[in-house]
Amino acid sequence: MVAGMEFADVVRRRRMVRDYDPDRPVPAQVRERLLDHAIRAPSAGFSQGWAFLVLESAADRDRFWRATTGEEAPDAWLTRMRRAPLLIVPMSDKSAYLDRYAEPDKGWTDREEARWPVPYWDVDAGMAALLMLLTAVDEGLGACFFGIPPERLAAFRHSFGVPPGLRPVGCVAVGYPGEDDRRSPSLRRGRRPVEEVVHRGRW
Ligand SMILES: Cc1cc2nc3c(=O)[nH]c(=O)nc-3n(C[C@H](O)[C@H](O)[C@H](O)COP(=O)(O)O)c2cc1C
């Protein structure tokens, strides 16, 4: 893999990596670039209602996996994913958006959630996550976005002292790809072609 590649190549090469070389940590400057790029994501009203939990030490990563997956013996997916040397949990802060849009230039002082076409707080955290996924590819590393099960959220919050208003939208695992990587079986569905999903002018 080549670092600093053409943007089109970064997009084309981006895919979720589900095995990592446990002996190759993510260089500090790459970690910081991931985070610098994450905060370049757009955000509604420039609210920037996001937070990123960075877990790097073996103890912190182990705490993450124990909180989010439990104590049972890890399955094959988890065994490979646990090798990732860096985990970044992007979180969204709904109240930061409700506060921002209650400011005079926006004026939604009732903080009514029905005004929001979709939860922009989650959209923006997702955009930040995508920038991290693309940056990892650009740096010659691999990454995978995956979800935290709802029933594990309380344990996750408790383990890391996460304030109640913050919600993890998922987790981005980052590292150098391992030798036992597996593509998602979902890919057998095939990529829906442009002409199937794009409606030009009208439906
Ligand atoms: C919101 C979201 C949640 C996902 N959750 C998981 C997950 O829990 N586990 C996993 O292995 N992959 C997860 N994926 C990765 C998808 O399986 C993957 O993006 C899809 O199959 C297309 O493959 P590609 O990203 O490698 O092109 C998730 C992706 C997204 C966008």
Side-chain angles (χ1 to χ4, degrees):
M1 287 203 180
V2 197
M5 56 184 87
E6 287 292 320
F7 180 71
D9 291 333
V10 172
V11 173
R12 209 173 304 112
R13 288 184 190 215
R14 201 247 7 111
R15 46 174 293 256
M16 301 303 185
V17 167
R18 297 181 181 80
D19 186 33
Y20 300 91
D21 183 342
D23 300 321
R24 284 186 81 186
V26 176
Q29 71 272 20
V30 172
R31 179 194 63 223
E32 295 310 309
R33 191 164 175 244
L34 291 166
L35 297 166
D36 282 347
H37 284 186
I39 64 160
R40 304 295 303 186
S43 64
F46 209 26
S47 303
Q48 303 165 81
W50 47 45
F52 303 90
L53 178 68
V54 179
L55 304 174
E56 245 179 333
S57 73
D60 283 348
R61 287 181 286 121
D62 186 56
R63 193 173 306 124
F64 171 86
W65 291 116
R66 270 190 289 120
T68 58
T69 64
E71 304 289 342
E72 286 165 32
D75 62 12
W77 180 91
L78 185 54
T79 300
R80 291 190 290 265
M81 291 295 288
R82 283 188 75 121
R83 295 179 189 140
L86 173 63
L87 301 170
I88 302 177
V89 185
M91 304 193 209
S92 68
D93 181 355
K94 177 170 73 178
S95 65
Y97 286 76
L98 300 184
D99 289 347
R100 167 69 188 100
Y101 275 68
E103 288 177 18
D105 61 325
K106 300 289 187 188
W108 294 356
T109 50
D110 57 8
R111 297 167 57 93
E112 175 51 63
E113 280 185 52
R115 293 176 179 279
W116 297 81
V118 294
Y120 282 169
W121 37 94
D122 294 334
V123 170
D124 295 351
M127 294 206 196
L130 178 59
L131 283 174
M132 291 193 279
L133 295 175
L134 293 174
T135 302
V137 175
D138 192 44
E139 292 284 351
L141 283 80
C144 184
F145 181 97
F146 59 95
I148 298 175
E151 68 274 16
R152 295 285 178 188
L153 282 181
F156 166 78
R157 281 211 173 84
H158 178 74
S159 296
F160 296 101
V162 178
L166 286 168
R167 175 165 71 170
V169 297
C171 177
V172 180
V174 189
Y176 290 93
E179 290 176 358
D180 200 18
D181 188 19
R182 306 289 164 91
R183 306 297 298 269
S184 167
S186 310
L187 289 172
R188 286 192 213 112
R189 297 164 52 84
R191 192 175 302 283
R192 296 177 68 197
V194 168
E195 288 311 325
E196 183 180 314
V197 297
V198 174
H199 305 271
R200 302 174 199 267
R202 60 164 294 157
W203 218 260

